[in-house]
C-alpha cells in the first residue's frame, strides 16, 4: 500500500470518535451483564456447552473457530431457547437477526467471518434478554432497539461487499464492537445516533470511492489492451471487424452464445476485479460519425449483449447503481 493509500485508510473512520464511544459502551456493560446473568444465564447453557472434544464451556475464541455446520447448530439452539419466551414480537425480532447472521457468515472472507462471529457471541446474552424482556418493555425503547438491530444488519451487509484494508478493518470492527456494547447495555438511542448513522454514511461513501477508483483501473487496462491488440489510442471498437481479435481472454473480450432459437448472440465481457456488484456498472457505446449512443447494464458476470448496428463505437463504463 502506498503512503497516500495508507493515509486514506487511517482516515476511513475517526479513531478519536471510537475511543470516545468505548467509555459510553463500557459504562453500561455492568447493567446488561447483571440482567443476563441473574435472569437468563442458565438458559444459555446449551448454547455455551463445551465444544466436542473439550470440557471448557464455549467462549468467544472457540466460537470464532466453529466450523460452519456447528456454528449453525449453536445459533439454532439460541433461536430455540428464545422461542420459549411468551413475547412473540420480540422473539421474532431476535430470530430474524440470528437467521440473517446465519445467511451472512458463509458469504464472508475468513477474517471478517471471525470478527462478526465474535461480535455475535458478545450479543448472544443480550439477544436472549431481548426475547424475554422485549427491549425492556417500554414502547420507545422497543422501537429504538428494533432500529438498532436493523442498523447493525445494514452495517454488516455493507461491509460484506467491501474488501477492507487491514487498517480499515480494524477501525470498522472496533466501531461494530462499540455498537454491540451499546445494544448490550440497552443504550439503543446512542447505538443508533452516535454509531450506526455515522458508520453507515462513511462505509457507503467509501464504497462509492472504491468503485470509482476500481472503475478507473479497469478503463486504463481496457485502453492499454485495445492499443496492444488493435492499435487504437482511445477505447473504441469496430463492429464486426474487431470482434475476432477480442475473443481471447483479456480485460475486455467477446463471447458468443447460441440461443434457444438457434441464433448466435454476441456479448462483451469486462473483467472488473474487486467490484462485488457488477450490475452497478453501465456500458456506454457512442457511434462515431453517425452519432447516437447505446447504454446497457452489465450482468453479474460483467457481460452485456452487443446489440448495435455495425460501425465504430467509442466505449465508456459508468458507475450507476440500480435504485
Amino acid at each position: 500500500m502506498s503512503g497516500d493509500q495508507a493515509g486514506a485508510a487511517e482516515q476511513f473512520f475517526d479513531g478519536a470518535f471510537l475511543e470516545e464511544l468505548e467509555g459510553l459502551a463500557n459504562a453500561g456493560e455492568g447493567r446488561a451483564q447483571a440482567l443476563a446473568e441473574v435472569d437468563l444465564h442458565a438458559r444459555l447453557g446449551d448454547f455455551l456447552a463445551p465444544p466436542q472434544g473439550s470440557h471448557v464451556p464455549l467462549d468467544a475464541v472457540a466460537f470464532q473457530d466453529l466450523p460452519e455446520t456447528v456454528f449453525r447448530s449453536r445459533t439454532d439452539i439460541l433461536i430455540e431457547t428464545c422461542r420459549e419466551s411468551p413475547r412473540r414480537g420480540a422473539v421474532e425480532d431476535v430470530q430474524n437477526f440470528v437467521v440473517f447472521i446465519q445467511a451472512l457468515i458463509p458469504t464472508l472472507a475468513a477474517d471478517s467471518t471471525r470478527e462478526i462471529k465474535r461480535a455475535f457471541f458478545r450479543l448472544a446474552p443480550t439477544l436472549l434478554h431481548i426475547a424475554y424482556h422485549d427491549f425492556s418493555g417500554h414502547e420507545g425503547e422497543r422501537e429504538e432497539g428494533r432500529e438498532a438491530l436493523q442498523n447493525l444488519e445494514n452495517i454488516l451487509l455493507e461491509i460484506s461487499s467491501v474488501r477492507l484494508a487491514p487498517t480499515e478493518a480494524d477501525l470498522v470492527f472496533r466501531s461494530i464492537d462499540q455498537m454491540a456494547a451499546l445494544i448490550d447495555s440497552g443504550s439503543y438511542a446512542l447505538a443508533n445516533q452516535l454509531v450506526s448513522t455515522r458508520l453507515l454514511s462513511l462505509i457507503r461513501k467509501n464504497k462509492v470511492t472504491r468503485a470509482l477508483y476500481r472503475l478507473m483501473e479497469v478503463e486504463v487496462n481496457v485502453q492499454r489492451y485495445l492499443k496492444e491488440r488493435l492499435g487504437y489510442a482511445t477505447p473504441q471498437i469496430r463492429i464486426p471487424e474487431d470482434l475476432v481479435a477480442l475473443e481471447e481472454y483479456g480485460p475486455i473480450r467477446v463471447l458468443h452464445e447460441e440461443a434457444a432459437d438457434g441464433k448466435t448472440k454476441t456479448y462483451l465481457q469486462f473483467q472488473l476485479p474487486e467490484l462485488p456488484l457488477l450490475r452497478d456498472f453501465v456500458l456506454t457505446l457512442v457511434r462515431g460519425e453517425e452519432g447516437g449512443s447505446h447504454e446497457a447494464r452489465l450482468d453479474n458476470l460483467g457481460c452485456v449483449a452487443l446489440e448495435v448496428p455495425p460501425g465504430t463505437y467509442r466505449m465508456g463504463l459508468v458507475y450507476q447503481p440500480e435504485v
Side-chain angles (χ1 to χ4, degrees):
M1 182 184 293
S2 70
D4 290 343
Q5 288 173 313
E10 289 170 4
Q11 294 172 11
F12 185 72
F13 292 106
D14 185 348
F17 170 71
L18 297 176
E19 295 288 349
E20 219 173 279
L21 288 175
E22 289 180 1
L24 290 170
N26 293 336
E29 248 179 14
R31 173 196 163 201
Q33 288 176 352
L35 286 169
E37 289 172 5
V38 170
D39 300 332
L40 300 169
H41 182 72
R43 292 185 178 273
L44 279 174
D46 290 339
F47 175 75
L48 298 174
Q52 187 174 7
S54 172
H55 301 289
V56 180
L58 193 66
D59 60 13
V61 174
F63 189 75
Q64 286 179 317
D65 295 328
L66 290 178
E68 187 178 328
T69 54
V70 181
F71 168 80
R72 189 173 186 87
S73 68
R74 288 296 177 117
T75 49
D76 281 342
I77 288 172
L78 185 62
I79 290 174
E80 291 303 320
T81 305
C82 290
R83 283 176 177 169
E84 296 173 9
S85 166
R87 300 179 182 270
R88 307 319 303 163
V91 170
E92 185 175 340
D93 291 333
V94 170
Q95 177 177 295
N96 289 343
F97 181 77
V98 177
V99 170
F100 163 79
I101 294 292
Q102 289 177 330
L104 181 68
I105 287 295
T107 71
L108 300 175
D111 290 346
S112 296
T113 296
R114 288 176 58 82
E115 293 291 348
I116 290 176
K117 280 182 177 179
R118 178 173 58 77
F120 179 84
F121 186 85
R122 180 175 187 173
L123 275 173
T126 302
L127 294 173
L128 194 60
H129 178 265
I130 289 171
Y132 278 81
H133 296 280
D134 197 6
F135 301 100
S136 300
H138 302 297
E139 188 61 33
E141 286 193 356
R142 184 180 296 118
E143 291 307 312
E144 288 173 346
R146 286 173 176 162
E147 183 182 352
L149 288 182
Q150 183 61 59
N151 284 337
L152 186 52
E153 285 187 16
N154 291 338
I155 289 167
L156 295 176
L157 268 179
E158 289 290 342
I159 66 171
S160 71
S161 61
V162 175
R163 184 174 178 179
L164 299 171
T167 306
E168 295 172 332
D170 179 64
L171 291 170
V172 168
F173 287 113
R174 278 179 60 199
S175 66
I176 289 174
D177 274 349
Q178 305 319 316
M179 186 172 181
L182 289 167
I183 293 173
D184 195 34
S185 68
S187 303
Y188 308 125
L190 282 175
N192 292 325
Q193 295 166 15
L194 294 183
V195 183
S196 63
T197 301
R198 182 171 182 178
L199 184 56
L200 277 169
S201 173
L202 288 167
I203 289 173
R204 286 168 179 165
K205 183 187 293 184
N206 177 268
K207 195 173 179 180
V208 172
T209 302
R210 283 173 181 274
L212 294 175
Y213 177 74
R214 295 301 179 198
L215 179 59
M216 181 179 66
E217 285 187 321
V218 169
E219 289 181 326
V220 169
N221 288 337
V222 167
Q223 184 169 340
R224 285 175 177 166
Y225 188 70
L226 290 175
K227 186 173 183 180
E228 291 171 2
R229 296 288 296 165
L230 305 173
Y232 300 144
T234 58
Q236 65 180 42
I237 59 170
R238 294 177 305 159
I239 299 173
E241 292 87 343
D242 294 334
L243 299 185
V244 173
L246 297 178
E247 289 179 359
E248 297 178 8
Y249 185 83
I252 177 176
R253 63 187 303 207
V254 172
L255 306 173
H256 303 285
E257 181 180 287
E258 186 174 334
D261 59 6
K263 296 181 179 179
T264 299
K265 295 194 72 171
T266 301
Y267 295 86
L268 284 182
Q269 183 184 45
F270 293 85
Q271 306 299 320
L272 287 84
E274 299 184 30
L275 289 170
L277 297 176
L278 302 188
R279 289 189 59 81
D280 284 346
F281 298 87
V282 172
L283 170 68
T284 301
L285 295 172
V286 179
R287 201 168 182 183
E289 296 178 358
E290 298 87 348
S293 64
H294 173 79
E295 292 186 349
R297 185 172 295 280
L298 274 59
D299 66 15
N300 292 327
L301 298 175
C303 294
V304 62
L306 200 57
E307 298 174 331
V308 293
T312 299
Y313 291 86
R314 298 190 304 276
M315 295 189 306
L317 287 168
V318 180
Y319 180 60
Q320 188 176 303
E322 291 183 294
V323 178

